[in-house]
């Protein structure tokens, strides 16, 4: 099974990629946590000068949380909000520039993550919304 988020370094760039194209890159709680960890990993790597955030495929950047996985955890009180919020750069120190390359739908939690980036570049077919 593919990881929900990919991390790759190329020269002085770090790429963080939402990687659930069949689910319009909707993030699981694990995926949100991975994004926060990768932001910190890039921040703490002296070789990295910029972080580029994007989505796998051409249909979605990130369509927010995968509600099938997130709602049951919320109802059971098993969702660690602090780990989830790290994807939105809440309470984590990242001052390297983050460029969002938006390549499709950017909805809900995807918009919250987008709002935490420094530079946003959108494909012509990108669509944004906070349902």
């Amino acid at each position: 099974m593919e990881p929900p988020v990919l991390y790759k370094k190329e020269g002085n760039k770090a790429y963080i990629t939402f990687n659930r194209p069949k689910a319009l890159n909707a993030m699981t709680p694990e995926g949100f946590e991975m994004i926060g960890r990768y932001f910190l990993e890039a921040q703490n790597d002296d070789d990295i000068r910029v972080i580029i955030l994007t989505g796998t495929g051409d249909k979605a950047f990130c369509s927010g949380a995968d509600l099938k996985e997130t709602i049951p955890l919320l109802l059971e009180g098993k969702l660690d909000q602090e780990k989830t919020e790290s994807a939105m750069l809440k309470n984590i120190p990242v001052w390297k520039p983050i460029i969002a390359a938006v390549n499709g739908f950017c909805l809900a939690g995807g918009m919250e993550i987008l709002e935490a980036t420094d530079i946003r570049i959108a494909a012509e077919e990108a669509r944004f919304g906070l349902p």
Side-chain angles (χ1 to χ4, degrees):
M1 186 171 170
E2 288 279 321
V5 180
L6 303 174
Y7 182 79
K8 178 176 73 170
K9 287 174 46 174
E10 280 186 15
N12 60 3
K13 298 179 285 279
Y15 291 88
I16 300 172
T17 306
F18 301 107
N19 190 40
R20 298 186 70 223
K22 291 180 182 173
L24 296 177
N25 292 324
M27 282 294 101
T28 62
E30 173 194 21
F32 280 121
E33 184 179 343
M34 289 173 74
I35 294 164
R37 272 198 326 262
Y38 290 148
F39 278 142
L40 286 176
E41 185 173 331
Q43 174 60 43
N44 294 325
D45 186 328
D46 291 337
D47 294 332
I48 299 299
R49 298 286 177 248
V50 65
I51 302 165
I52 300 169
L53 182 65
T54 193
T56 298
D58 58 0
K59 292 188 179 191
F61 172 75
C62 178
S63 61
D66 184 326
L67 299 180
K68 290 178 190 171
E69 290 197 30
T70 306
I71 289 176
L73 292 174
L74 273 171
L75 294 174
E76 296 169 15
K78 295 181 180 176
L79 184 67
D80 187 339
Q81 291 273 347
E82 192 172 307
K83 288 181 180 178
T84 302
E85 289 177 347
S86 67
M88 289 95 170
L89 296 170
K90 294 180 181 177
N91 303 314
I92 63 170
V94 177
W95 55 86
K96 291 182 180 177
I98 301 171
I99 300 171
V102 183
N103 50 330
F105 290 108
C106 180
L107 306 170
M111 280 289 295
E112 289 184 63
I113 295 169
L114 183 72
E115 290 170 347
T117 64
D118 300 295
I119 299 169
R120 297 149 195 129
I121 301 169
E124 192 171 315
E125 53 279 339
R127 299 292 178 257
F128 302 88
L130 284 168

